[in-house]
């Protein structure tokens, strides 16, 4: 199997392009899923304070035969802690049993509270203090990103947003790329629902490449340069979702999947969510 690709940020650090998501997993499910993922070759895990399973990820890191410096751990600052990012990250680090995470994200801008620039200043300090190696955001739209850049001069390395074949966010993605902000897709499999796996083009490509619909969708993210974090707590699916480095989709196949975009959002709208 080909080596798993990494994405390099403007801060000089890099992360694996494919990782494991653990939203809606319990502490124990997250621990088992992370250990299984590491066993099959994943090196990146995406959690968040609000997922309430950082302890499980911490235990998996501790029990894993793979050294800490070969793993890439992301966690996120929840909406109620924008004004005290240091305390929030220290709590996360305690649960993760780590001295530092690799990537710390502001989970949502929550513009109604208007504290996200303050939160970003907090993350800048946390990076300087060595508690996180890189800093980024999640669910940020252009005006939110523009304010961070205008008011601090520090550009996030990454913006984690909802992207799947039914919500492709081309404009927002293009703006991020133009500003050297990598895009990471959340709910990359449309949460396994919404008929995404039953789309004719996805099925046809699965047949052509001898791959499952989930593998075709993950490959679609990878082939567009997106970082992708499919979630599963099922061992066979964790394994399946990693078997995607031995084929590539053709440009015309990516173009055909592009026609599935319906602007269908599964999560909250970032401008309204608080
Ligand atoms: P996802 O799109 O990754 O879908 C996960 C679901 O798809 C699973 O629960 C399962 O039902 C199904 N599935 C997984 N692998 C499959 C396979 N091989 N075959 C068939 N079905 C399969 O959904 P998600 O969990 O919402 O998103 C992934 C990760 O993104 C999360 O776990 C979390 O880490 C992150 N996330 C971040 C935000 C944010 O606001 N930043 C929001 C949602 C999710």
């Amino acid at each position: 199997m080909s080596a798993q690709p990494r994405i390099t940020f403007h801060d000089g650090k890099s992360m694996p392009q494919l990782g494991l998501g653990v939203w809606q997993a319990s502490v124990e499910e997250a621990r088992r899923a992370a250990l299984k993922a590491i066993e099959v070759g994943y090196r990146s895990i995406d959690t968040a304070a609000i997922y309430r399973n950082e302890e499980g990820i911490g235990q998996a890191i501790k029990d894993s035969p793979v050294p800490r410096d070969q793993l890439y751990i992301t966690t996120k600052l929840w909406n109620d802690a924008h004004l005290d990012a240091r305390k929030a990250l220290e709590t996360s680090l305690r649960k993760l049993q780590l001295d530092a995470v690799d990537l710390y994200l502001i989970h949502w801008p929550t513009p109604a509270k208007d504290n996200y620039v303050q939160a970003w200043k907090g993350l800048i300090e946390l990076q300087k203090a060595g508690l996180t190696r890189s800093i980024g955001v999640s669910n940020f739209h252009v005006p939110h990103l523009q304010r961070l850049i205008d008011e601090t001069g520090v550009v996030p390395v990454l913006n984690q947003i909802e992207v799947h074949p039914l919500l492709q966010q081309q404009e927002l993605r293009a703006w991020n790329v133009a500003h050297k902000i990598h895009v990471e897709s959340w709910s990359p499999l449309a949460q396994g629902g919404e008929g995404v796996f039953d789309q004719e083009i996805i099925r046809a490509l699965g047949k052509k490449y001898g791959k499952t619909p989930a593998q075709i969708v993950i490959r679609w993210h990878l082939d567009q340069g997106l970082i992708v974090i499919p979630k599963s707590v099922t061992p066979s699916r964790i394994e399946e979702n990693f078997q995607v480095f031995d084929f590539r989709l053709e440009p015309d196949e990516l173009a055909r999947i592009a026609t599935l975009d319906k602007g269908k959002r599964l999560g909250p709208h970032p401008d309204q969510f608080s």
Side-chain angles (χ1 to χ4, degrees):
M1 191 166 57
S2 332
Q4 60 175 305
R6 293 183 75 91
I7 295 287
T8 301
F9 298 140
H10 67 67
D11 68 0
K13 311 275 193 318
S14 70
M15 80 178 283
Q17 196 180 358
L18 175 63
L20 178 76
V22 293
W23 180 40
Q24 292 176 314
S26 69
V27 169
E28 180 55 17
E29 284 173 331
R31 185 188 70 80
R32 284 172 193 251
L35 269 177
K36 174 66 189 176
I38 293 167
E39 182 195 315
V40 305
Y42 292 73
R43 292 294 176 263
S44 169
I45 298 167
D46 180 87
T47 184
I50 196 66
Y51 300 171
R52 303 192 198 291
N53 58 23
E54 290 169 308
E55 289 95 336
I57 302 304
Q59 199 55 47
I61 297 166
K62 206 170 166 204
D63 295 345
S64 152
V66 175
R68 162 67 184 107
D69 64 3
Q70 288 177 32
L71 298 173
Y72 194 92
I73 308 300
T74 302
T75 196
K76 312 186 193 86
L77 175 71
W78 188 238
N79 306 342
D80 60 2
H82 279 189
L83 297 179
D84 202 352
R86 182 163 192 127
K87 189 170 156 213
L89 181 53
E90 282 172 351
T91 303
S92 288
L93 289 174
R94 202 162 44 246
K95 292 179 178 174
L96 289 162
Q97 305 185 53
L98 296 177
D99 298 328
V101 287
D102 297 284
L103 178 62
Y104 198 41
L105 306 179
I106 302 177
H107 207 144
W108 292 88
T110 62
K113 292 187 186 134
D114 198 20
N115 289 325
Y116 61 87
V117 175
Q118 198 57 33
W120 187 238
K121 289 178 179 167
L123 264 62
I124 292 167
E125 291 309 311
L126 290 168
Q127 185 181 26
K128 284 186 189 148
L131 298 184
T132 179
R133 300 201 171 93
S134 294
I135 52 175
V137 296
S138 178
N139 300 303
F140 273 50
H141 281 173
V142 171
H144 315 133
L145 291 163
Q146 192 67 64
R147 263 191 79 194
L148 297 191
I149 297 168
D150 290 347
E151 295 189 34
T152 69
V154 180
V155 180
V157 295
L158 166 159
N159 188 11
Q160 185 183 113
I161 57 172
E162 180 178 347
V163 180
H164 43 73
L166 309 179
L167 179 73
Q168 301 189 16
Q169 308 238 49
Q170 295 289 0
E171 258 180 57
L172 178 56
R173 280 165 49 193
W175 194 95
N176 278 277
V177 171
H179 291 78
K180 297 187 166 51
I181 302 170
H182 281 278
V183 174
E184 182 171 40
S185 306
W186 66 251
S187 291
L189 301 175
Q191 300 175 6
E194 304 299 326
V196 75
F197 295 152
D198 296 325
Q199 299 290 331
E200 209 183 309
I201 173 66
I202 305 288
R203 293 216 159 261
L205 292 174
K207 217 167 167 189
K208 172 178 171 184
Y209 290 105
K211 293 286 176 182
T212 65
Q215 289 169 327
I216 297 295
V217 173
I218 292 168
R219 197 62 240 179
W220 172 79
H221 289 274
L222 297 173
D223 285 335
Q224 296 175 95
L226 296 160
I227 302 165
V228 60
I229 45 170
K231 180 240 179 167
S232 182
V233 295
T234 307
S236 59
R237 285 177 170 175
I238 292 172
E239 213 165 331
E240 174 185 326
N241 295 347
F242 197 72
Q243 305 306 318
V244 290
F245 300 119
D246 55 356
F247 76 113
R248 266 179 186 284
L249 299 175
E250 304 287 345
D252 68 302
E253 294 167 345
L254 297 174
R256 283 169 70 200
I257 298 177
T259 66
L260 298 179
D261 193 4
K262 293 186 174 55
K264 184 167 176 60
R265 204 176 275 284
L266 304 180
H269 195 294
D271 292 343
Q272 278 123 40
F273 189 61
S274 61

